[in-house]
Amino acid sequence: MRYTLEDIARKAGVHLSTASRAMRNDKLISAETSSKVRELAKKLGYRPNAMARSLANQKAMAIEIVVSTIPSFANPMLVQNLVGVYEIAELNDYDIFIGTSEGTVQDWSTVLRAFQERKADGCLVFIGSDDFVNDPPDKLFSKLLPVVFVNNMVRHQNTGSVNFDNFQGGYLATKRLIELGHKRIAFIGPGKERLTRERIRGYHRALKEAGVKTSQELYVERQYDMTGENGATAMKQLLQRIDFTAVFCSGDWMALGAMEVAKSQGLSIPGDISFIGFDDIHLAAHVTPSISTVKQDGEKAGRIAAKILVDLMKGNAVPDGNLDITIPVELIERESIGPAPR
Amino acid sequence: MRYTLEDIARKAGVHLSTASRAMRNDKLISAETSSKVRELAKKLGYRPNAMARSLANQKAMAIEIVVSTIPSFANPMLVQNLVGVYEIAELNDYDIFIGTSEGTVQDWSTVLRAFQERKADGCLVFIGSDDFVNDPPDKLFSKLLPVVFVNNMVRHQNTGSVNFDNFQGGYLATKRLIELGHKRIAFIGPGKERLTRERIRGYHRALKEAGVKTSQELYVERQYDMTGENGATAMKQLLQRIDFTAVFCSGDWMALGAMEVAKSQGLSIPGDISFIGFDDIHLAAHVTPSISTVKQDGEKAGRIAAKILVDLMKGNAVPDGNLDITIPVELIERESIGPAPR
DNA sequence: GGCACTTATGCAAGGGTTTGCATGGATTGG
DNA sequence: CCAATCCATGCAAACCCTTGCATAAGTGCC
């Protein structure tokens, strides 16, 4: 048997509205009545109907997590983010549900739908590609649905963003390679992602500072995800057309794929080529050789993003400076890098 | 501006209820009126309020995904499952949200809550541990909330399950090792998980069929997850106390961790020790040496589980035989196994 | 002891849909 | 031409909760 508030009220001998207030510990209700109602509710296992409550409150008490496609969850960084998000969501009584942009990168329909159907009070967007944000429909923002972007940025009303300091990451990694004597440093990554472009900026800055000439041939931009396969393909192209002594990969998976190719061609790591990745996925420390990388605190990013979103959803005033956050990164040195071969 | 059905009705010059039916293409409404209403709704961007609709229908049109903790998503098999689940959910207009059992394995509170608060019409449980199912509260099932278990099994009313043929997997893997001449084959896995226990059964069966004596010392059961760390720890214990030529690991991550330990101790794979894993995670093919493993079609499991759940939620009759499904597995041979050293 | 307050509770509208039943007009058949 | 039918639409209750306002009972004051 599932009880309704009315059942509880009747059995407790009070009015429906009194029971409602009692359940939420409203100070209007006497401590005596209040506890009587609450105990009865507890005994009967009563729980308020979330839909009715949402309807009355005009709050869904839910956050939509937007990813491009479900396999995105295979990205360990996203999982880390999620841990942080969940922590904050739970603390604030928000449920979390999943939406996809259905592959069509430019597709805002999920976000819009969540809002229009009032299934969520806000969205957390984990899509890094530019396409997604270049031309957000006015419809969306004019309606003031709170949205927080992770690894992306859209400045608008009711919008926040959380990004790692990708520029700094690219800079630190490249600088370290230069310190080790490398001059010809290749880059592999998906150029359509905002975060990769930032890393490239850091890469260029470090090269420029050191007076190392950059060459267009040293880039390989893959169109899409940072998968091992893409890393491997890019590596094969690089090996065919140019010589170099180090590779900076915009993602550990890509680094892993690229390293496999190098190994299979009999190259020694880091003897012949040094590799440096990005993300510090769990695996990076567990392969041979272990991968040097730029570490990002994914849980922290998730927590911050969720906090901003909660504030926006609750209508709390958030100082402009706290809406767009950049999180520092850290270089982790492991076996995959070494002095440049002479 | 967000419109309500009443707005649409007024502008279309019809009654609220007529508009409601028109939106759903009810045959009661004339084609003319119907299309007039629908076009107007489309033009104004009207979308029904999901909460109000849920309240009226007594359907949340949502599925809750229950995992033990968020980091479970780091398990690639779960992600594969999710791909399948999402496909079916979307097809049937169900939303998906995430719940955890909050670490306390025995905690059914999330599942109960989803049901009591009517936020979900059914649950998909991705928790393999026995604790979780040993003593499910009657409350739960007496209320007939549809639940489908993946990698676990609870036979009850309104309940389904999807499991891989773990027995067969354990059997095939072990048999292959035996064919390669191995006699002392160790096992590593979390014994509290139903799926691992099945694999152990298969392992024993193969040994028994071949007349190979099994030894208690060859097991190492780790309490919890199939992480690389646990695999490594177990491997260290094994190496200290006994000699063997092959290890069957109940999970590729464990195999990877165990292999790292072996390599770090100067053992050659598969020269000195053969390794075989389970799951065929993406990574298995990309490490050196690549890992032989038992492959499971995760997406298929997800799809089947979701289909069963949808049927249960909709009240469709499901023949008893279609409620508990076992999916075949396949042995994938890679570099990590070879003939037993003599 | 009447007045102004405070405190605890009840009343009823409102939130946006769905849906069984009633109604009114048009159509058919005898 | 009227009764019987049918079709399209309107009416109102129901889903379950929240909340501003009204009411009733209890307190203190002069």
Side-chain angles (χ1 to χ4, degrees), chain A residues 85-323:
Chain A
V85 169
Y86 195 79
E87 182 187 319
I88 301 302
E90 205 167 27
L91 209 61
N92 291 277
D93 286 319
Y94 283 92
D95 283 308
I96 286 185
F97 68 95
I98 299 175
T100 60
S101 71
E102 291 163 6
T104 338
V105 195
Q106 230 153 346
D107 191 350
W108 283 83
S109 64
T110 308
V111 183
L112 279 172
R113 205 182 62 101
F115 177 64
Q116 293 180 122
E117 299 186 355
R118 316 279 214 301
K119 290 208 140 189
D121 305 316
C123 291
L124 230 33
V125 176
F126 290 90
I127 301 182
S129 93
D130 289 338
D131 298 348
F132 195 71
V133 297
N134 271 347
D135 188 26
D138 283 335
K139 306 189 251 179
L140 179 63
F141 295 104
S142 63
K143 299 199 180 177
L144 311 183
L145 166 69
V147 182
V148 174
F149 295 86
V150 178
N151 294 332
N152 219 329
M153 172 123 79
V154 176
R155 197 73 294 286
H156 229 289
Q157 198 173 358
N158 256 321
T159 285
S161 70
V162 175
N163 284 274
F164 288 106
D165 194 340
N166 289 291
F167 170 79
Q168 179 75 353
Y171 176 80
L172 289 176
T174 310
K175 186 166 157 231
R176 182 72 188 113
L177 290 169
I178 294 170
E179 285 170 9
L180 287 166
H182 295 274
K183 298 258 186 258
R184 299 195 57 79
I185 303 172
F187 177 90
I188 297 178
K192 283 231 168 185
E193 303 250 320
R194 173 190 158 80
L195 48 79
T196 293
R197 287 208 322 283
E198 287 295 302
R199 291 170 194 177
I200 295 177
R201 271 187 51 226
Y203 161 84
H204 278 146
R205 168 70 62 87
L207 292 173
K208 197 171 166 198
E209 271 186 20
V212 175
K213 220 176 60 206
T214 91
S215 149
Q216 189 56 40
E217 288 180 299
L218 286 168
Y219 293 122
V220 182
E221 295 189 0
R222 302 302 301 168
Q223 281 304 64
Y224 300 112
D225 304 329
M226 301 182 180
T227 59
E229 281 84 353
N230 278 331
T233 313
M235 188 66 187
K236 282 179 198 148
Q237 290 181 19
L238 275 174
L239 285 170
Q240 275 176 1
R241 72 181 195 217
I242 195 165
D243 66 300
F244 51 93
T245 63
V247 185
F248 171 35
C249 297
S250 187
D252 289 339
W253 279 106
M254 292 195 113
L256 187 67
M259 283 166 62
E260 291 294 329
V261 168
K263 280 196 276 187
S264 74
Q265 306 216 356
L267 294 165
S268 136
I269 304 172
D272 297 316
I273 304 189
S274 287
F275 283 85
I276 196 157
F278 218 108
D279 292 347
D280 194 27
I281 62 177
H282 178 85
L283 177 67
H286 291 279
V287 291
T288 312
S290 53
I291 308 179
S292 298
T293 191
V294 178
K295 176 176 183 163
Q296 319 173 80
D297 187 341
E299 292 191 24
K300 184 174 175 187
R303 268 195 306 272
I304 294 179
K307 272 185 199 153
I308 296 175
L309 186 63
V310 167
D311 279 337
L312 289 174
M313 291 187 304
K314 289 191 173 165
N316 298 343
V318 185
D320 263 18
N322 294 350
L323 278 170

Side-chain angles (χ1 to χ4, degrees), chain B residues 90-340:
Chain B
E90 204 167 27
L91 209 59
N92 291 276
D93 285 321
Y94 283 91
D95 282 308
I96 286 185
F97 68 94
I98 299 175
T100 60
S101 69
E102 292 164 5
T104 340
V105 193
Q106 230 153 347
D107 190 350
W108 283 83
S109 63
T110 308
V111 184
L112 280 172
R113 204 181 64 99
F115 178 62
Q116 294 181 120
E117 299 186 356
R118 317 278 212 301
K119 288 209 138 188
D121 305 315
C123 291
L124 230 33
V125 177
F126 291 90
I127 301 182
S129 96
D130 289 338
D131 299 347
F132 195 72
V133 297
N134 272 348
D135 187 26
D138 284 336
K139 305 188 255 180
L140 180 63
F141 295 104
S142 63
K143 300 198 178 176
L144 311 183
L145 165 71
V147 182
V148 174
F149 295 86
V150 177
N151 295 332
N152 219 328
M153 173 122 81
V154 175
R155 198 71 298 287
H156 230 288
Q157 198 174 355
N158 255 321
T159 283
S161 70
V162 175
N163 284 273
F164 287 104
D165 194 341
N166 289 291
F167 170 80
Q168 179 74 356
Y171 176 80
L172 289 175
T174 312
K175 186 166 157 233
R176 182 72 188 113
L177 289 170
I178 294 170
E179 285 170 9
L180 287 166
H182 296 274
K183 297 260 184 261
R184 299 195 57 78
I185 303 172
F187 178 90
I188 296 178
K192 285 229 165 184
E193 303 250 320
R194 172 191 159 80
L195 48 79
T196 294
R197 288 207 322 286
E198 287 294 303
R199 291 170 194 178
I200 294 177
R201 272 186 51 228
Y203 161 82
H204 277 144
R205 168 71 62 85
L207 292 173
K208 199 172 164 195
E209 272 187 20
V212 176
K213 218 174 64 205
T214 91
S215 148
Q216 188 58 40
E217 288 181 299
L218 286 168
Y219 293 125
V220 181
E221 295 191 357
R222 301 303 301 171
Q223 282 302 66
Y224 299 111
D225 302 329
M226 300 182 180
T227 58
E229 280 84 355
N230 278 331
T233 313
M235 188 66 188
K236 283 179 198 151
Q237 289 179 20
L238 275 174
L239 285 170
Q240 273 174 1
R241 72 182 197 216
I242 196 168
D243 65 298
F244 52 91
T245 63
V247 185
F248 171 36
C249 296
S250 188
D252 289 338
W253 279 106
M254 292 195 112
L256 186 66
M259 284 166 62
E260 290 294 327
V261 169
K263 279 195 276 185
S264 73
Q265 306 216 354
L267 294 165
S268 132
I269 304 171
D272 298 317
I273 304 188
S274 286
F275 283 84
I276 196 160
F278 217 107
D279 292 347
D280 193 27
I281 62 178
H282 177 83
L283 178 67
H286 291 280
V287 291
T288 313
S290 54
I291 309 178
S292 298
T293 192
V294 179
K295 177 178 182 159
Q296 318 173 83
D297 187 341
E299 292 190 25
K300 184 174 176 187
R303 268 194 306 271
I304 294 180
K307 272 185 198 152
I308 296 175
L309 187 62
V310 167
D311 278 339
L312 289 173
M313 291 187 303
K314 289 191 174 166
N316 299 345
V318 185
D320 264 17
N322 294 350
L323 241 35
D324 294 283
I325 304 294
T326 300
I327 304 180
V329 297
E330 180 191 357
L331 183 66
I332 308 279
E333 297 204 35
R334 298 206 181 91
E335 301 160 358
S336 67
I337 63 174

Side-chain angles (χ1 to χ4, degrees), chain A residues 41-83:
Chain A
K42 190 165 189 180
K43 201 177 82 195
L44 297 177
Y46 165 78
R47 306 239 59 200
N49 178 318
M51 304 172 216
R53 174 178 271 193
S54 293
L55 185 58
N57 289 332
Q58 298 289 78
K59 304 246 175 203
M61 292 312 286
I63 295 174
E64 173 150 13
I65 300 289
V66 182
V67 296
S68 57
T69 64
I70 297 294
S72 306
F73 284 98
N75 177 349
M77 184 50 64
L78 177 57
V79 175
Q80 283 183 43
N81 290 329
L82 231 45
V83 171

